[in-house]
Amino acid sequence: MTVTIHSFDAALGAEVRGVDLSKPVSDTDFAKIERAYNEHSVLLFRDQDISPEQHVAFSRRFGDLEIHVLDQYLHPEHKEILVVSNVEDEGRNIGVPDAGRYWHTDLSYAAEPSRGSLLYAIEIPHDDKGAPLGETRFASAAVAYDALTDEMKARIENLEAEFSLAHRFKKINEDFDPDAELNETQEEQVPSVTHKVVRTHPITGRKNIYVNEGHTFRIKGLPAAEAESLLSDLWSHIKRPEFVYTHRWRKGDLLMWDNIPCQHIAIGDYALPQRRYMHRTTLKGDAPI
Ligand code: SIN
């Protein structure tokens, strides 16, 4: 099989064809995939049938993996896998039920945020006509940055913002789930951190807007009302349709994304008995530059 890359008709994303991830990927094919990942930010591999071991092994080709702080949702045998699911067992969620309900990048609340994530679809909810539910939208915060006015670029260039996972939980509690909880030990592991509002990709050298709706709660040195208004302008800008790719899931999709230049949101338009069950690995990253 020859590996080929097919760009989406969108600001970001491409499908990789000719790869069976249940088998070892040659160094030549891997190099092609890695180049495509840096270029397109989101890569889709359709019709995969992989075990947790194979998922972890392919993810490791890109670097070390995170063990997610929400340890109650880790795969029981493979701690590198975070279960993302609305499925319950004896009234308890077996996975993160609301992994991405606000635009965010994974682990941007950490001092060394994740480089990327690989999400594998095992069960997908559907409506009564058979159309998939629970889509995931991706926005290129790099293309969005390029489209800012020079005045706005100059205004945000040297600003820094604060990010926190506890902040996201507070929003979830207020907006839709009063019971979602970050326990004390978990909260201590991820104290709030400061990152630049504009981040530069260490490989491509491209700049992108890094503040996100899910984890950013303050801009340092700005009065609260001014910070809120600036963040709200940037977030409305990032999610403009021309910067967004919407992924409609099929069972067997493995989707990977770059957590530096793209933000994502998961749409919660389904509920039990419609089941959504996915495995996510998360690549470690470096402190932003
Ligand atoms: C995530 O934010 O990592 C999960 C996205 C999804 O559930 O579609």
Side-chain angles (χ1 to χ4, degrees):
M1 276 193 290
T2 309
V3 173
T4 54
I5 311 293
H6 305 263
S7 300
F8 296 150
D9 183 17
L12 71 173
E15 183 179 344
V16 182
R17 295 189 194 146
V19 188
D20 177 351
L21 297 176
S22 69
K23 302 206 164 68
V25 175
S26 72
D27 288 346
T28 311
D29 286 347
F30 183 75
K32 202 166 183 176
I33 292 168
E34 201 172 30
R35 269 198 307 277
Y37 176 54
N38 291 325
E39 182 181 346
H40 297 285
S41 305
V42 174
L43 291 184
L44 169 64
F45 303 79
R46 287 273 196 212
D47 302 318
Q48 300 297 320
D49 184 5
I50 52 171
S51 65
E53 288 85 353
Q54 289 160 343
H55 184 175
V56 169
F58 178 63
S59 307
R60 280 224 175 94
R61 297 284 297 272
F62 294 89
D64 291 338
L65 304 183
E66 292 281 351
I67 308 292
H68 203 279
V69 62
L70 298 179
D71 50 359
Q72 69 272 41
Y73 301 131
L74 299 180
H75 187 290
E77 282 124 47
H78 301 275
K79 302 290 181 214
E80 306 88 343
I81 291 181
L82 177 72
V83 176
V84 175
S85 182
N86 68 332
V87 175
E88 293 175 6
D89 181 25
E90 298 184 349
R92 288 174 67 89
N93 288 110
I94 62 165
V96 196
D98 46 25
R101 296 294 164 79
Y102 305 98
W103 285 96
H104 69 290
T105 62
D106 296 325
L107 274 61
S108 67
Y109 50 78
E112 295 185 342
S114 157
R115 170 71 214 281
S117 304
L118 294 90
L119 188 62
Y120 176 52
I122 298 168
E123 288 183 74
I124 298 299
H126 290 91
D127 68 13
D128 50 13
K129 294 191 179 67
L133 298 170
E135 65 194 26
T136 310
R137 296 181 193 152
F138 294 87
S140 173
V143 178
Y145 174 83
D146 291 345
L148 291 173
T149 61
D150 288 344
E151 193 188 348
M152 180 58 102
K153 284 181 184 160
R155 182 174 173 206
I156 62 176
E157 180 64 26
N158 294 312
L159 292 179
E160 292 183 332
E162 287 183 64
F163 296 67
S164 144
L165 181 59
H167 167 77
R168 193 196 78 180
F169 270 83
K170 199 162 149 262
K171 272 165 79 94
I172 293 176
N173 292 153
E174 285 165 8
D175 293 349
F176 59 90
D177 182 358
D179 299 327
E181 197 195 3
L182 187 65
N183 69 37
E184 234 174 79
T185 317
Q186 292 168 338
E187 198 166 336
E188 276 168 23
Q189 284 176 49
V190 281
S192 63
V193 295
T194 299
H195 297 306
K196 288 179 170 176
V197 169
V198 178
R199 186 170 177 182
T200 302
H201 198 291
I203 296 168
T204 67
R206 274 187 91 170
K207 287 184 177 181
N208 63 268
I209 301 167
Y210 194 56
V211 284
N212 65 75
E213 224 168 46
H215 303 148
T216 311
F217 66 101
R218 207 188 340 252
I219 296 188
K220 286 180 87 170
L222 289 193
E226 189 183 339
E228 232 168 79
S229 154
L230 177 57
L231 288 171
S232 154
D233 287 349
L234 291 171
W235 294 334
S236 308
H237 176 75
I238 288 168
K239 58 189 163 189
R240 274 166 44 180
E242 62 267 39
F243 307 138
V244 173
Y245 160 67
T246 297
H247 186 65
R248 295 190 179 84
W249 290 93
R250 282 185 358 203
K251 177 177 156 52
D253 283 352
L254 182 117
L255 196 71
M256 68 178 294
W257 58 87
D258 186 334
N259 279 315
I260 300 170
C262 78
Q263 302 193 3
H264 60 284
I265 185 169
I267 305 302
D269 57 355
Y270 58 91
L272 290 171
Q274 296 155 326
R275 291 163 58 103
R276 191 175 191 264
Y277 182 81
M278 300 186 168
H279 284 171
R280 191 185 96 187
T281 51
T282 314
L283 308 177
K284 280 186 190 279
D286 300 315
I289 48 171

